[in-house]
Amino acid sequence: MSDLEKIGTAVLTTRSISLAGAQRVIGAALANAEESDCRVSLVVIDAGGNMTAMARRDGTADTATTVALNKANTALTLRTATDVFGKAIEDNTMLVSSLGSQPGIALIAGGLPITEGDEVIGAIGVSGSRDGKDLTIARAGADALRSAD
């Protein structure tokens, strides 16, 4: 086996959302937030958990950005929507308490993985709406990336 073949078995290739893709997601989510007149923060992270794009509507509380980042991180880490996972474990108080106390985890609606096929390439987190529209806004962003291809 050549050195190149040995290295090939030890290295993984990961696909990740690009800056252009993250900006498209943020743009669509922001447009939805504006239509709904929701003051929210929106964060897109790449497959490695790095913030790639962020927007905060005027008048949105500063803390909403941290919560949006935590929602995106949770969706990326768990590879599922934050509300779906939160509902799935709500009867397990020990798990809810344990996960909920971890830094960077938010088990409330508004975090979605961003996928290409079956592969998670990033995540979006939205926080700040007082009328429960964080998930709707996040979905508008994630759907914009899928529909653009």
Side-chain angles (χ1 to χ4, degrees), residues 15-148:
R15 298 181 60 166
S16 191
I17 192 167
S18 67
L19 174 59
Q23 289 173 327
R24 190 176 324 157
V25 170
I26 288 286
L30 190 57
N32 187 283
E34 288 171 354
E35 284 176 18
S36 304
D37 195 30
C38 293
R39 294 181 187 151
V40 293
S41 282
L42 312 103
V43 174
V44 173
I45 60 175
D46 64 17
N50 304 297
M51 189 185 305
T52 306
M54 178 268 178
R56 184 176 65 86
R57 289 204 64 215
D58 293 341
T60 304
D62 292 339
T63 54
T65 302
T66 301
V67 176
L69 179 58
N70 290 346
K71 288 179 181 184
N73 180 63
T74 303
L76 179 70
T77 302
L78 300 175
R79 305 246 185 282
T80 191
T82 53
D83 65 311
V84 170
F85 189 79
K87 287 176 188 170
I89 66 168
E90 67 187 358
D91 291 333
N92 187 337
T93 55
M94 182 66 79
L95 187 56
V96 170
S97 176
S98 176
L99 280 175
S101 67
Q102 298 302 309
I105 298 293
L107 300 175
I108 51 180
L112 290 174
I114 299 171
T115 59
E116 183 174 64
D118 292 336
E119 191 170 1
V120 176
I121 61 169
I124 182 172
V126 177
S127 183
S129 74
R130 293 190 175 157
D131 50 7
K133 293 186 179 174
D134 290 351
L135 179 59
T136 302
I137 295 165
R139 188 164 285 123
D143 287 349
L145 187 64
R146 284 191 280 271
S147 65

